[in-house]
Amino acid sequence: MENRDCVELASLSLAVGVRDSKAPYAGHLAVRVGEFRRLVAEVKAGDHDLR
């Protein structure tokens, strides 16, 4: 099964922009750089895996 879920990231001056690549006009999130780094580390560690 191929997963077609995808997000786009953009480097902003004080944040990382995040949006759904299949619905770019549906809105976006701006996450502070430190919070985004923490989220990436948690995802890599499996802290947000679906059980």
Side-chain angles (χ1 to χ4, degrees):
M1 184 169 119
E2 187 175 327
N3 187 342
R4 296 180 185 260
D5 295 336
C6 190
V7 296
E8 294 178 330
L9 304 175
S11 178
L12 307 173
S13 59
L14 298 175
V16 175
V18 183
R19 72 178 183 180
D20 182 341
S21 64
K22 290 184 273 179
Y25 301 106
H28 65 276
L29 298 173
V31 182
R32 291 183 183 149
V33 173
E35 293 172 352
F36 186 78
R37 286 183 181 147
R38 187 169 33 258
L39 174 63
V40 170
E42 290 172 357
V43 169
K44 286 181 176 182
D47 294 346
H48 298 284
D49 288 351
L50 298 176
R51 299 197 193 331

